[in-house]
Structure formats: C-alpha cells, structure tokens
Amino acid sequence: MQESLKPARDGNAGKPAAEDRDARRSSSFHLQNGSLVNEHDPIEGEYVPPQPGEHKPKPKARGIGAIAATLVVIGAKFKAIVFFLLQFKFAVVGLKLLAGSWTFLLSLWLYVVFFGWRLGIVILLVIAAHELGHYFAYRAYGLYARLPVFVPLLGAYTQGAIAPDLEQDAYIALAGPLTGLALAGACEATAILTGDRFWYACADIGAFINLFNMIPVPPFDGGRVIGAVWPGMWVVGIVLFIAAAVFLHVPIFLVLIIALLGLPSMISAWRGNVDPRAAAMTGGARLRVSLWYLATIAALIVVLGQAHGAMPSQGLAL
C-alpha cells in the first residue's frame, strides 16, 4: 500500500493505475428515482485533496482538562483543611513577616540560651502574638503601623499612627492582651483535650505575661487603656507595679528600665498636660473601655488560675 502512494516517475508506469481509477469513477454513476447519483467513495489509500472551506478539527486540550478535573477533586477532598488554614491567615502572614526581622531572630536566640529551647520559643511566640494583635488592630482602623520590634529579654513594641480618638487608641492597646488571652485559652483547651501538661505551662506563661502587661501605668498596655479613661489611676498602677516587682523578684535594672520608659507620660500628666482627644471621650466611651479592660483582666486571671492549678506543685520541666 505504501508503494501506491508514491508518484510514478515514468509516464507509462502510472497509466494503468490512472485508467483503473477512471473506470471506477465512471461506473459509480447510475440513475436513481430519475436522478443521476454519484456513489463514489474514496478508494483506500487514495489521496483526496481537501475541499475549499473544509478544515480539519483541532484536537481537544485533553491534558488541561484532566489537570483541571484533578484539581477540582483534590480541592473537594481537602476543602476542610484549606478552610482551616485560611482561618489562621493573619498568623501565617505575621510569622512570615517576622521571620525576616533580625530583632526577632536575636530575641529567639537569647531566650533559647537563657530559658532552654522549649520555654524560650513559648515565651517569644507569646510576645509575638501579643504584638501582632496591636499591629493588626492598627491596620483594622486604617492606620499605618510598623512591624513589631523585639527588644531582647525585655519584650517588644509596635509603632503606629496616632488614632483619631482615645477610644480607638484604647482598643488598639487592648488588642495585644486580648490576642494573648485567646492564645492562652487555646493552649488550655488543648491541654484539657490531650492531657498534656506542657500546654498548661504554655497557657500559664501566656496568661501571666499578658496579665502583667495590664498593670495600669505607662509604658504597659494597661496604662495606655486607663489613660483614655482617667490618667489619675496611674498612681494606683505605680503601687501595683512595685508590689508585683517585689513579689516576683524582678531584677532592679528591669524595674528601672520600665520606670524610665513610662516616666515621660507620668511627668506630662503631673504637669497638667491633657491629651486633646480626651475632650471627645464621652461617658459611654469611658464605660465601654473600662468594661473591656476589666473583662480582659478577669478572663486572664481565670485562665492563669486554672492553668497554674493543673500543673504539678514542683513545676514542669520544659
């Protein structure tokens, strides 16, 4: 059959084949119902030129369709996992951003050196979650904010634009402890479900750090919140801070550093300088901020008490 497709080089060699085709075509015409009908079908192996306007159908992109169908099936099977991960998109984005911060990496190294790798990582993640709460609160109000800056062995801070009113400023300050409360509660729930006391230790550390940060005196978040309600309460905060430092045996140099950080705000309030935004704080706004402040403290005390009570009396080696 392959030889029949080759063109004849000699004119006489190709003649019988041509005559045979002409005979077949001429015999295909006959009368049917008074009309001349051509029943000729292409002979097998014979080249038939395409007719004008005739196009060959293009092959379908089966490969792309198969890939798309596979992705749909995978997405249907694992949609629950995808949905679960999307709930933590802010945490994922935050950790991704913090991974490039040299202050974060330096703090991580120092905490691991001083407290061991498990306890060091727990402390740093608690601080990171707290600061990311402030960061995303700024962004939620449409305010500019920088990524948290970590101060090794002292904590961290987040700088942002000034809120237009003190109520928003108080909620931005509360966002850190509230995030820490949520993290401590999640750790305690994990401990209850798994029975692993390590998670009780994580809840205990998280609740304690955030509760300490609620002391109503600058530079703590509690001082910023109370400053929006009544700056005169800072005097009570000073007493509470000194009592906590003595009870917890906080090193004197840390006490002095914290006091120096809060000193400018204290001096300003002592001189009678009032935040101009305070004039816009209504009684309802002060009440709302106060309730959020007290509720956060109460919830942190509950989590701290339950987590601490579930731990062994001799402590837990992390």
Side-chain angles (χ1 to χ4, degrees), residues 184-211:
C187 291
E188 184 173 357
T190 303
I192 295 174
L193 293 175
T194 62
D196 189 350
R197 293 181 176 179
F198 168 75
W199 293 106
Y200 279 118
C202 294
D204 185 56
I205 294 171
F208 173 77
I209 290 177
N210 285 278
L211 184 61

Side-chain angles (χ1 to χ4, degrees), residues 277-293:
R277 297 174 297 175
M281 282 289 287
T282 63
R286 297 177 193 274
L287 179 61
R288 288 191 296 270
V289 172
S290 300
L291 291 177
W292 272 107
Y293 175 74

Side-chain angles (χ1 to χ4, degrees), residues 218-271:
F220 299 113
D221 290 331
R224 187 173 170 185
V225 175
I226 291 301
V229 178
W230 184 33
M233 283 289 293
W234 286 347
V235 177
V236 178
I238 294 174
V239 176
L240 290 175
F241 172 64
I242 295 175
V246 173
F247 179 77
L248 298 172
H249 304 287
V250 178
I252 187 63
F253 78 94
L254 290 179
V255 174
L256 292 176
I257 291 176
I258 294 173
L260 289 175
L261 290 174
L263 191 60
S265 298
M266 300 292 294
I267 293 176
S268 178
W270 181 264
R271 291 178 176 177

Side-chain angles (χ1 to χ4, degrees), residues 24-291:
R24 291 186 183 184
R25 289 194 180 113
S26 62
S27 64
S28 63
F29 289 93
H30 66 278
L31 290 174
Q32 181 178 352
N33 297 329
S35 301
L36 188 61
V37 179
N38 184 2
E39 296 179 350
H40 171 69
D41 292 327
I43 304 173
E44 184 178 358
E46 181 183 8
Y47 171 73
V48 179
Q51 299 298 324
E54 182 181 354
H55 300 281
K56 294 183 179 180
K58 296 181 179 180
K60 296 181 179 180
R62 297 181 180 178
I64 299 177
I67 294 174
T70 303
L71 292 177
V72 171
V73 173
I74 294 175
K77 289 184 177 181
F78 296 97
K79 62 182 180 180
I81 297 177
V82 173
F83 177 79
F84 177 79
L85 292 176
L86 287 177
Q87 304 311 305
F88 297 92
K89 59 182 179 180
F90 292 116
V92 173
V93 171
L95 291 176
K96 182 179 179 181
L97 294 175
L98 290 175
S101 171
W102 69 270
T103 58
F104 175 82
L105 298 176
L106 177 60
S107 297
L108 175 61
W109 178 73
L110 288 176
Y111 281 122
V112 169
V113 169
F114 280 91
F115 301 105
W117 70 271
R118 295 184 73 182
L119 181 58
I121 290 176
V122 169
I123 293 175
L124 188 63
L125 289 181
V126 168
I127 296 174
H130 178 102
E131 294 302 324
L132 286 175
H134 294 311
Y135 175 79
F136 287 113
Y138 275 113
R139 302 299 297 270
Y141 281 114
L143 301 173
Y144 170 78
R146 294 182 178 179
L147 289 176
V149 176
F150 291 82
V151 182
L153 304 179
L154 289 177
Y157 64 92
T158 302
Q159 290 182 326
I162 299 176
D165 61 77
L166 281 180
E167 186 175 10
Q168 288 185 3
D169 191 74
Y171 293 148
I172 291 173
L174 278 171
L178 283 173
T179 305
L181 171 63
L183 181 61
C187 291
E188 184 173 357
T190 303
I192 295 174
L193 293 175
T194 62
D196 189 350
R197 293 181 176 179
F198 168 75
W199 293 106
Y200 279 118
C202 294
D204 185 56
I205 294 171
F208 173 77
I209 290 177
N210 285 278
L211 184 61
F212 190 83
N213 202 263
M214 293 293 284
I215 294 177
V217 64
F220 299 113
D221 290 331
R224 187 173 170 185
V225 175
I226 291 301
V229 178
W230 184 33
M233 283 289 293
W234 286 347
V235 177
V236 178
I238 294 174
V239 176
L240 290 175
F241 172 64
I242 295 175
V246 173
F247 179 77
L248 298 172
H249 304 287
V250 178
I252 187 63
F253 78 94
L254 290 179
V255 174
L256 292 176
I257 291 176
I258 294 173
L260 289 175
L261 290 174
L263 191 60
S265 298
M266 300 292 294
I267 293 176
S268 178
W270 181 264
R271 291 178 176 177
N273 297 328
V274 180
D275 192 322
R277 297 174 297 175
M281 282 289 287
T282 63
R286 297 177 193 274
L287 179 61
R288 288 191 296 270
V289 172
S290 300
L291 291 177

Side-chain angles (χ1 to χ4, degrees), residues 290-313:
S290 300
L291 291 177
W292 272 107
Y293 175 74
L294 295 175
T296 304
I297 290 179
L300 286 169
I301 291 175
V302 170
V303 174
L304 178 63
Q306 292 179 348
H308 198 74
M311 293 174 60
S313 58

